[in-house]
Amino acid sequence: MDGRLFSFIAASMSALFWLSLPALYILPIILCLIILLWRLPHTISSYQRVKNLSICFLLGIFWMASVGHWQQTWQLQADDFKQGIWVNGQVASLIDSQKSTRFNLDISNIDGQLLTPKRRIRVSWTKPPWPIKQGYVLRLWVKLKPPHGLANQGTFHYQQWLFSQNIVATGYVKANENNTLLEASVSLRQRLLDKIMATQLTSVPWIAALALGHRGLLTPDDWQLVQRTGIAHLIAISGLHLALVASLCYLFIATALLFCYRVLINGQKANFYFISVGMTLLATLGYAFLAGLGLPAMRAWLMLALAAFLLFTRTHWAFKRIFLVSVSSFILLFPLSLFGQSFWLSFSAVLIIGFVFWRWPIKQNGFSIKAWFAGMCRLQLALSILMLPLVAWQFSFISLIAPLINLIAVPIVTLILVPLCLLAILMMLFSLAQYKALLSILDQGLMFSLNHLTAASEWSGAAINVQVIPALVWISLTLATVTLLLPKGLLPRIAVLVLCIPLLSFGLQPHSTQWQINVLDVGQGLSVVISRYNQAFVYDVGASYPSGFNMADSALVPYLRSRGINKINTLVLSHFDNDHSGSLPALQRAMPILQTYTTKDVCRQGWELTWQGLNISALWPDDPTLHSDNNSSCVLQITDGFTRVLLTGDIDASVEQKLVSDYAQALESQVLVAPHHGSNTSSSWEFINAIAPDYVIFSQGFMNRWGFPRPEVLKRYKQTDATLLRTSEQGQIQLTIDNGTIKVKSFREDIYPYWYANRQID
């Protein structure tokens, strides 16, 4: 059975590496093959085993391919994205803001057309006319886009997250007097959150996370603290919390039943074991409901349910089978969770815990503080070491103080803070006013803990950023670590050295003279990173928005850190429009910038700079005070003596004409970042003809309201032999240049080309 489960899991997980879904007509073929194999008789046991493994493997392929095609079938139609539409739906998210609200909406109706099943969309609503609450049924006028996100190395894959959450569109609510509240039914979770927020305690965001699993109130600084100290698992209601709740519930229920039977009934001793386990299972399901039935909580509850089933049936399974059954069940029930990070983090942690107890079993009978402390230290150290490759691969970030912090924080959170949160929730449910006093005590304890966590995180060596390393290298390093921890004689120690070869070969790559241009996907804006010898030259930084979201924190800084770059040598701002320079304050907070140049100082016609062997010349402006902000953009030409790159900012056709007149053939460049994101006010034919580019890159937002790049502009560029590239379609555009040769990669097509993370653009 274990082999068949493993075969099904391996086939299901192969969906992570599919570049596209298997064609729909292949699914009936796979199903027929499964039936034929199942009906095929075999008397030889080895053949029977191969047949069973093959059937389970094909079932895994069939299941994940079917799920993928179902998801495509349930997407909204293209017409739903062309203009505003009316939708009816129920608010599915907890709401914690009344100014600018973003929430998930389970829609059952679009423009009067019933949807079966319901679709989930994610929308924002600036200044709604009434407070939005989870459970409300609304009729709204919305403008939607297909699921889409920024696509850069080292950054959060928002589009993949949307897919894993089964969200089929994003957008915003348009102001309309007919936007209507159809039903004002507030969920229990929302009422509890409102009570917590009404206390106005300093630690409300952390209380909401610990008590209800709602982390939407945490600020970016809070998340940075969580990352640097490695306590993310403590503020997500998951296995640790459900295990605590299950233990407390079982202890209370069993004690109460035993008291009732012995004292009140005064009968003989009875076994309330099964009743207590069953009631505990129901109680933990209620707790998972309070946590919003999130995937981490449901994973933990399913494992508790499996343990209860084994207890009821008096069946003994080894840890390996329990783990395989749990993973298989979760893939069947929640297949999209495979594409989310929490699935891998949770089950990896469970696997490591199982490995630790197998490798270092508890031999001492009875409770011993010394043995308990030694076990906790061993477990935390193993979790930190063996989870390190996965965390570093996913987040390009390693917390060095996490083992020590967790050794202290886990007992405090599980034995003190979480029980107090649960008690406060129970008091709210029973309308006991004393919950405010309890939350006040909890607030003081949390603030005391957070102050010490903050002090620890501010230590310079608390955490380090790591550059992007291929998955194969991390897998090999993980296997090498596991091999090193295995008992002697199980595997030869030479295997550790063999498994470290990919890491050594990656770290000892030969010194190269090549340089790279990376036009990042920053939506409707521009940010270009030129790198050589692990140094960075940045041209523009993208936009920032009133909500606090900015392209420095979401795209530029994560990309630089993923490349192992922790400072910017030179920054040039072409001009001061928000979409080009708005993220500068956030960038300055995030990392050192050694030199910054703008048109207010030296970035003017005639200025030259030599950087890492590259010659950088400013071709424009002559005098920025004589032109509009767009037309005073700092135009740079960068060359290594073989290849020229032209960065143009937002100049229009009038400036283009002056550049053609001033520089003539010297304007010719192999790579052009198109002026003004592809606006028809720019990219005149004379300018295009003078440059004669081989590659033209448009940096603009997906389905932007201006329609950039404009069809007229594309038509002009297509009259040349240039290759046209768009960040809105292909994500980050990477050009590697070496002695006149140019190699082009895009994030969506070459670096991360998987079917679930990218939308096919027609």
Side-chain angles (χ1 to χ4, degrees):
M1 180 178 177
D2 293 348
R4 283 173 283 179
L5 291 171
F6 182 82
S7 182
F8 172 80
I9 293 169
S12 300
M13 290 181 175
S14 72
L16 292 165
F17 305 100
W18 298 350
L19 303 184
S20 61
L21 282 173
L24 193 59
Y25 70 84
I26 293 179
L27 298 188
I29 297 175
I30 295 176
L31 186 59
C32 290
L33 186 57
I34 291 171
I35 295 172
L36 286 175
L37 283 173
W38 178 56
R39 299 290 295 173
L40 185 66
H42 274 300
T43 56
I44 303 177
S45 60
S46 58
Y47 287 157
Q48 181 70 28
R49 179 176 175 80
V50 171
K51 183 184 81 169
N52 291 338
L53 293 177
S54 301
I55 289 173
C56 291
F57 190 86
L58 290 172
L59 279 171
I61 299 291
F62 179 80
W63 175 241
M64 294 308 300
S66 299
V67 168
H69 282 290
W70 291 338
Q71 292 302 311
Q72 288 191 344
T73 302
W74 294 336
Q75 298 299 306
L76 300 184
Q77 302 300 312
D79 290 342
D80 297 328
F81 303 119
K82 293 180 180 178
Q83 57 189 359
I85 57 174
W86 284 102
V87 299
N88 290 14
Q90 185 175 41
V91 178
S93 305
L94 280 177
I95 306 298
D96 49 48
S97 174
Q98 297 180 7
K99 295 181 179 179
S100 181
T101 304
R102 175 173 292 183
F103 55 92
N104 295 342
L105 191 70
D106 291 336
I107 57 175
S108 57
N109 188 294
I110 292 182
D111 285 339
Q113 181 180 356
L114 188 65
L115 295 179
T116 305
K118 293 181 179 181
R119 313 292 200 273
R120 176 164 289 187
I121 63 174
R122 187 168 177 81
V123 294
S124 59
W125 194 355
T126 303
K127 297 182 180 179
W130 60 83
I132 306 298
K133 301 293 182 183
Q134 185 184 54
Y136 277 8
V137 178
L138 308 172
R139 175 173 170 79
L140 301 174
W141 177 244
V142 298
K143 182 67 172 69
L144 299 178
K145 292 182 180 181
H148 196 82
L150 303 179
N152 303 290
Q153 286 176 289
T155 61
F156 175 62
H157 298 160
Y158 182 59
Q159 187 169 340
Q160 181 177 331
W161 179 84
L162 291 172
F163 179 81
S164 70
Q165 299 297 311
N166 199 19
I167 295 172
V168 301
T170 62
Y172 61 93
V173 180
K174 303 180 72 173
N176 191 293
E177 61 182 8
N178 294 320
N179 287 333
T180 308
L181 173 60
L182 299 177
E183 184 180 334
S185 177
V186 183
S187 70
L188 175 62
R189 291 188 75 219
Q190 182 70 63
R191 293 197 297 270
L192 292 173
L193 178 62
D194 290 344
K195 287 185 177 181
I196 292 174
M197 293 185 64
T199 62
Q200 298 183 342
L201 296 171
T202 308
S203 62
V204 158
W206 301 92
I207 295 174
L210 290 172
L212 300 174
H214 177 63
R215 298 182 287 179
L217 291 168
L218 297 176
T219 65
D221 289 340
D222 293 333
W223 282 111
Q224 185 177 16
L225 174 64
V226 165
Q227 287 184 330
R228 289 183 66 83
T229 54
I231 61 167
H233 62 105
L234 295 179
I235 59 170
I237 295 180
S238 55
L240 191 66
H241 302 77
L242 257 73
L244 172 66
V245 172
S247 301
L248 293 174
C249 287
Y250 178 80
L251 181 63
F252 175 78
I253 293 169
T255 302
L257 288 175
L258 187 61
F259 174 80
C260 291
Y261 192 83
R262 285 188 174 180
V263 178
L264 301 182
I265 302 177
N266 197 23
Q268 295 180 349
K269 182 178 179 180
N271 188 353
F272 293 105
Y273 184 68
F274 290 147
I275 299 175
S276 301
V277 169
M279 293 179 69
T280 297
L281 199 59
L282 291 175
T284 51
L285 181 60
Y287 181 58
F289 173 77
L290 286 178
L293 297 178
L295 292 179
M298 290 308 299
R299 273 193 295 271
W301 188 82
L302 282 175
M303 295 195 76
L304 284 175
L306 177 60
F309 169 78
L310 296 177
L311 290 172
F312 287 148
T313 58
R314 291 185 171 88
T315 304
H316 174 73
W317 282 355
F319 170 80
K320 178 175 67 173
R321 177 162 298 182
I322 294 174
F323 180 80
L324 292 174
V325 169
S326 300
V327 175
S328 301
S329 301
F330 209 77
I331 290 174
L332 286 171
L333 294 172
F334 307 100
L336 294 184
S337 67
L338 261 179
F339 306 101
Q341 295 172 340
S342 67
F343 176 93
W344 297 95
L345 294 173
S346 296
F347 280 115
S348 296
V350 172
L351 191 60
I352 292 169
I353 291 171
F355 172 78
V356 169
F357 283 107
W358 168 80
R359 178 63 181 85
W360 296 282
I362 299 175
K363 299 179 180 179
Q364 182 174 346
N365 295 324
F367 178 78
S368 165
I369 294 180
K370 181 180 178 181
W372 173 83
F373 184 75
M376 284 289 294
C377 291
R378 189 184 300 118
L379 182 59
Q380 287 300 327
L381 187 61
L383 280 169
S384 300
I385 293 175
L386 294 178
M387 287 290 287
L388 184 148
L390 180 60
V391 172
W393 178 40
Q394 290 289 330
F395 303 106
S396 301
F397 189 90
I398 296 173
S399 173
L400 299 180
I401 61 172
L404 179 60
I405 292 294
N406 276 277
L407 192 63
I408 301 170
V410 168
I412 293 174
V413 172
T414 55
L415 300 179
I416 301 175
L417 299 182
V418 170
L420 288 177
C421 285
L422 290 175
L423 183 57
I425 292 295
L426 287 173
M427 294 171 73
M428 291 181 200
L429 292 174
F430 289 101
S431 301
L432 300 177
Q434 290 81 0
Y435 77 86
K436 294 181 180 179
L438 182 59
L439 288 180
S440 180
I441 296 172
L442 181 60
D443 176 70
Q444 295 179 26
L446 277 169
M447 294 311 301
F448 177 82
S449 303
L450 290 171
N451 289 336
H452 284 78
L453 277 177
T454 302
S457 70
E458 290 174 350
W459 174 50
S460 58
I464 58 173
N465 298 296
V466 294
Q467 69 181 95
V468 171
I469 297 177
L472 178 62
V473 175
W474 286 124
I475 293 171
S476 299
L477 182 61
T478 302
L479 293 176
T481 307
V482 172
T483 303
L484 195 63
L485 295 176
L486 288 173
K488 291 183 179 179
L490 202 58
L491 283 176
R493 293 305 186 196
I494 191 66
V496 177
L497 296 178
V498 173
L499 289 168
C500 286
I501 290 176
L503 179 62
L504 294 174
S505 61
F506 177 82
L508 298 176
Q509 290 179 352
H511 185 73
S512 175
T513 60
Q514 68 184 22
W515 54 292
Q516 276 192 354
I517 303 166
N518 282 274
V519 182
L520 300 185
D521 180 8
V522 292
Q524 189 60 35
L526 180 66
S527 184
V528 181
V529 177
I530 298 170
S531 57
R532 197 179 201 185
Y533 308 138
N534 207 38
Q535 305 294 318
F537 177 102
V538 176
Y539 180 86
D540 286 345
V541 296
S544 65
Y545 301 94
S547 64
F549 181 80
N550 66 83
M551 293 302 166
D553 290 332
S554 59
L556 180 54
V557 172
Y559 167 74
L560 291 172
R561 287 176 174 167
S562 74
R563 298 291 301 272
I565 298 173
N566 294 310
K567 65 180 179 181
I568 296 173
N569 298 91
T570 305
L571 169 65
V572 172
L573 296 179
S574 66
H575 61 298
F576 300 97
D577 280 358
N578 178 59
D579 59 334
H580 291 255
S581 61
S583 289
L584 179 60
L587 181 62
Q588 291 171 328
R589 290 192 298 268
M591 63 171 48
I593 305 172
L594 302 187
Q595 293 184 344
T596 301
Y597 300 115
T598 72
T599 54
K600 290 183 178 180
D601 40 64
V602 300
C603 195
R604 302 185 183 186
Q605 193 174 45
W607 174 63
E608 293 186 351
L609 173 69
T610 300
W611 179 83
Q612 302 298 320
L614 302 176
N615 295 319
I616 302 171
S617 303
L619 308 184
W620 189 261
D622 50 1
D623 184 350
T625 62
L626 301 177
H627 309 282
S628 66
D629 200 28
N630 282 350
N631 277 341
S632 64
S633 295
C634 183
V635 177
L636 296 183
Q637 189 177 64
I638 304 170
T639 181
D640 61 356
F642 300 97
T643 304
R644 294 176 181 173
V645 177
L646 192 63
L647 307 177
T648 57
D650 278 352
I651 60 171
D652 67 15
S654 63
V655 175
E656 292 175 354
Q657 188 63 42
K658 292 180 181 180
L659 289 173
V660 173
S661 176
D662 290 347
Y663 295 98
Q665 292 183 350
L667 204 60
E668 183 176 335
S669 301
Q670 286 75 25
V671 179
L672 169 66
V673 178
H676 205 178
H677 319 288
S679 166
N680 195 36
T681 60
S682 307
S683 296
S684 59
W685 171 246
E686 294 77 12
F687 183 68
I688 296 172
N689 190 48
I691 296 174
D694 296 324
Y695 300 95
V696 180
I697 303 171
F698 299 95
S699 177
Q700 80 291 314
F702 176 68
M703 293 182 68
N704 63 85
R705 59 180 175 175
W706 300 277
F708 294 163
R710 299 294 299 173
E712 308 93 312
V713 173
L714 293 174
K715 184 178 180 180
R716 291 197 288 269
Y717 279 111
K718 286 178 180 178
Q719 295 178 35
T720 70
D721 294 329
T723 299
L724 308 185
L725 304 164
R726 310 186 206 181
T727 58
S728 60
E729 291 186 3
Q730 292 145 310
Q732 167 193 342
I733 308 295
Q734 181 184 92
L735 296 92
T736 303
I737 303 172
D738 191 8
N739 293 326
T741 63
I742 302 176
K743 295 181 180 179
V744 180
K745 288 184 178 180
S746 71
F747 186 85
R748 294 187 185 277
E749 295 175 356
D750 304 293
I751 299 172
Y752 202 78
Y754 307 115
W755 65 277
Y756 51 86
N758 302 298
R759 176 181 178 269
Q760 184 66 38
I761 307 295
D762 298 326

